[in-house]
Amino acid sequence: MAIDIGGTKIAGALVHPDGTMTATTRRPTPRGVDAEGVMAAVAEVVADLSGSPLWSSAVRCGIGSAGPVDTSRGTVSPVNIGAWRDFPVQERIAAELAARGAELPTVLAGDGVAMTAAEHWLGAARGYANALCMVVSTGVGGGLILNNQLHPGPTGNAGHIGHISVAFDGEPCVCGGRGCVESIASGTAIARWAREQGWT
Ligand SMILES: [Zn+2]
């Protein structure tokens, strides 16, 4: 079982051992709600998946979340989901699964790290011993493969390239820094720049 929590959408799927996804579902990430309001959308995704005939064959649950994450504590504080600060997402999803009869081991990873694992397994980084994989979306995420192994670091944020400052006098970023990669090169920032230049 895979659950992906992003600033724009929350997605879920049941995944076969070969990587094929079935029973995919998604919800928009709620805006202007509190922490429980965001969690309610995650619970709806879990509820959708539990309707699949394959639900009872799931053996574990992987959770990818927008960062920063703290995988040592099972919490997330996504820059683009302001309602969640140190939110215990791993424990809450485990409880949601248990309530639907699936007491599964769960693993939490930053979404950039999860994407990197997938690219190394089945995608663009296949066959490479070392890789930095980047995702450009609502924000900019990343993850590292070093010596053929995923390298999430102690809290799960290694390779999170989006909040490295590349312009020290640049625009303030929601993270509190200035001139972050994400504040310049995310999908959101690219669209904002285009509008400022007069594009419609
Ligand atoms: Zn930043």
Side-chain angles (χ1 to χ4, degrees), residues 163 173 175 180:
H163 293 281
C173 175
C175 76
C180 292

Side-chain angles (χ1 to χ4, degrees), residues 3-11 27-46 65-66 76-78 80-85 87 89 92-93 96:
I3 297 176
D4 174 54
I5 298 165
T8 304
K9 70 174 193 305
I10 296 165
R27 290 285 187 287
T29 304
R31 303 237 160 244
V33 298
D34 63 6
E36 290 306 317
V38 179
M39 185 61 211
V42 177
E44 285 176 21
V45 164
V46 171
S65 173
V76 300
S77 307
N80 296 312
I81 305 177
W84 277 8
R85 289 292 171 267
F87 187 77
V89 70
R92 292 295 301 274
I93 288 179
E96 209 57 51

Side-chain angles (χ1 to χ4, degrees), residues 11-138:
L14 298 177
V15 186
H16 287 283
D18 68 0
T20 310
M21 293 196 298
T22 56
T24 58
T25 183
R26 62 170 63 183
R27 290 285 187 287
T29 304
R31 303 237 160 244
V33 298
D34 63 6
E36 290 306 317
V38 179
M39 185 61 211
V42 177
E44 285 176 21
V45 164
V46 171
D48 282 356
L49 295 179
S50 73
S52 163
L54 293 169
W55 173 255
S56 59
S57 36
V59 291
R60 58 181 61 206
C61 174
I63 306 159
S65 173
V69 299
D70 186 340
T71 53
S72 68
R73 295 168 52 226
T75 61
V76 300
S77 307
V79 171
N80 296 312
I81 305 177
W84 277 8
R85 289 292 171 267
D86 293 320
F87 187 77
V89 70
Q90 188 169 3
E91 177 189 312
R92 292 295 301 274
I93 288 179
E96 209 57 51
L97 299 178
R100 294 177 182 279
E103 290 194 36
L104 304 180
T106 58
V107 176
L108 173 65
D111 54 4
V113 170
M115 175 277 297
T116 297
E119 291 296 337
H120 191 238
W121 177 29
L122 295 170
R126 253 183 305 186
Y128 291 94
N130 301 289
L132 167 67
C133 296
M134 289 177 64
V135 58
V136 176
S137 180
T138 314

Side-chain angles (χ1 to χ4, degrees), residues 149-191:
Q149 291 201 320
L150 195 61
H151 182 81
T155 62
N157 297 292
H160 193 340
I161 195 171
H163 293 281
I164 290 174
S165 180
V166 290
F168 295 122
D169 56 352
E171 296 289 314
C173 175
V174 284
C175 76
R178 275 185 175 272
C180 292
V181 171
E182 178 166 310
S183 69
I184 298 169
S186 66
T188 322
I190 292 169

